[in-house]
Amino acid sequence: MTLRQLFYRLVVRKHIQKTEAGYKAVGRLTGQLRESGDLPWSWIVDSSRMVRQRASYSGLGEFLEQTQRLYRRNLWQDQPEYVEIWCESESAAGVLCAITYEWGVPLRPFKGYGSRTFLYEVARTLREQNKPATCYYFGDRDPSGNDIDRSALESVRRYGSGEFRFVRVAVTEKQVSDWSLPGAPPKRTDSRVKNFRGPCVELEAIEPDRLRDLCRDCIEQHIDSHALEQHRLNEKAERETLNRMRESLPG
């Protein structure tokens, strides 16, 4: 999880107060624990930074071996519906990607309101599917977070997406109540606060495993089991073809 998600886990368990000073304390202590070797480095991720490097191989044999291992047949080309997962931030994408990758579902972090280019590409992709589509959204519950839903939907439909269904999965008012999620009053300086009711709650307040379960449930309800079985048989056969190609190489 990210440092912010760890912070919220401690707030929910009442180990620390939901303040800026509390967040800084978690960051400082987490850094000390990692430096001392008491906390594995891999347990905290920074999804805002990445390495960009072109893939290269020692030879054709390694390339085919990698291709066989990574090869994924497009599951959704044979399914009756199309699904996407949308989220508000990169940190949320870092939690959900394990599930979307498993099922080959597009995961789109909006990073706020999303650019015109980004939203136009969303509309184009939905339009090209030529089948029923559903987009599930994970975002903060606050005046601006709720307005992202409205703004994105308005733009995507204006750019010619065709008909699709939009569902906000989290954070919802019911989840705040049922799961006792920590929140704060909306900022009075926010121009959208007039029509907002209840506390502001960030997506990170929901446990990562619970978010993944929500994401998995969204996707799996659209999977046709017969098409899935045929898909797996085809994918296995194609992997075997790649393996035969690798084994036929000289040396």
Side-chain angles (χ1 to χ4, degrees), residues 3 14 53 56 85 104 114 123 137 149 169 175 184 195 245 247:
L3 181 64
K14 303 187 185 305
Q53 182 180 9
S56 59
I85 301 295
Y137 183 75
D149 299 10
V169 182
Q175 290 165 350
N195 297 318
M245 292 170 61
E247 291 178 342

Side-chain angles (χ1 to χ4, degrees), residues 31 38 43 57 65 97 102 107-108 117 145 149 154 158-159 163 167 169-170 192 197 199 201 235:
D38 293 308
W43 285 14
Y57 308 90
E65 182 180 3
C97 66
E102 176 187 351
L107 172 61
R108 299 184 188 269
T117 300
D149 299 10
E154 182 180 278
R158 185 173 70 252
Y159 295 145
E163 287 303 313
V167 181
V169 182
R192 303 175 185 87
R197 298 290 181 270
V201 178
E235 186 175 83

